Amino acid sequence: MKFRIQIIPHLHNLTTTGTVTITLNPVEDTSKIIFHVNNITIIKHSVSVISTKPKSSPITINDQDYVEGQKYRIMLNENLEIGEEYLLGIKFIGELNSHLQGFYRSRYNDEFGRER
């Protein structure tokens, strides 16, 4: 699996926006994609799945939502096939929190004692 991610911090309101493209290589045929999320809002209409085969059309998404255990589930209209490669595209909104996990904010004092 490969990830290409862009995160844009918005320091005025301590949020982030971003996009991620995840390269998927299924190890079995499946019509379900599940991944972990924590304090991230997925922009549902932005989610897309497409084969990397030339002239492929996006795969229809039947359902998508958050599920128990800080996970997000995408149900597809057709199977992702073993041995093929797919691109999962997502836009999201996050929070710049101070929990020291993921993309977070922190403070420090520079050499002149100024808080940064």
Side-chain angles (χ1 to χ4, degrees):
M1 212 179 324
K2 293 186 273 185
F3 295 82
R4 186 177 54 195
I5 189 165
Q6 176 188 39
I7 302 174
I8 302 168
H10 304 283
L11 300 178
H12 63 282
N13 64 2
L14 301 178
T15 63
T16 62
T17 54
T19 61
V20 62
T21 302
I22 305 169
T23 303
L24 305 174
N25 301 101
V27 295
E28 62 184 52
D29 291 352
T30 185
S31 62
K32 185 180 347 178
I33 300 170
I34 299 175
F35 53 92
H36 285 92
V37 295
N38 189 10
N39 295 325
I40 291 176
T41 301
I42 304 292
I43 309 301
K44 287 187 175 189
H45 69 271
S46 77
V47 177
S48 66
V49 180
I50 191 166
S51 170
T52 59
K53 288 181 182 178
K55 299 185 181 183
S56 294
S57 297
I59 297 171
T60 302
I61 297 172
N62 285 335
D63 189 38
Q64 58 179 312
D65 215 339
Y66 298 90
V67 293
E68 187 177 346
Q70 297 178 338
K71 295 179 184 175
Y72 195 80
R73 181 182 62 208
I74 301 168
M75 300 298 296
L76 304 170
N77 194 37
E78 59 187 81
N79 275 346
L80 303 181
E81 298 175 4
I82 188 170
E84 297 296 328
E85 185 175 80
Y86 301 87
L87 298 176
L88 169 61
I90 300 169
K91 291 183 182 179
F92 60 88
I93 300 170
E95 175 188 343
L96 273 173
N97 62 47
S98 58
H99 299 134
L100 303 180
Q101 296 175 342
F103 190 51
Y104 61 90
R105 69 178 190 271
S106 67
R107 296 179 181 169
Y108 68 94
N109 292 325
D110 66 14
E111 65 271 15
F112 303 106
R114 296 178 296 208
E115 188 175 272
R116 301 286 183 189

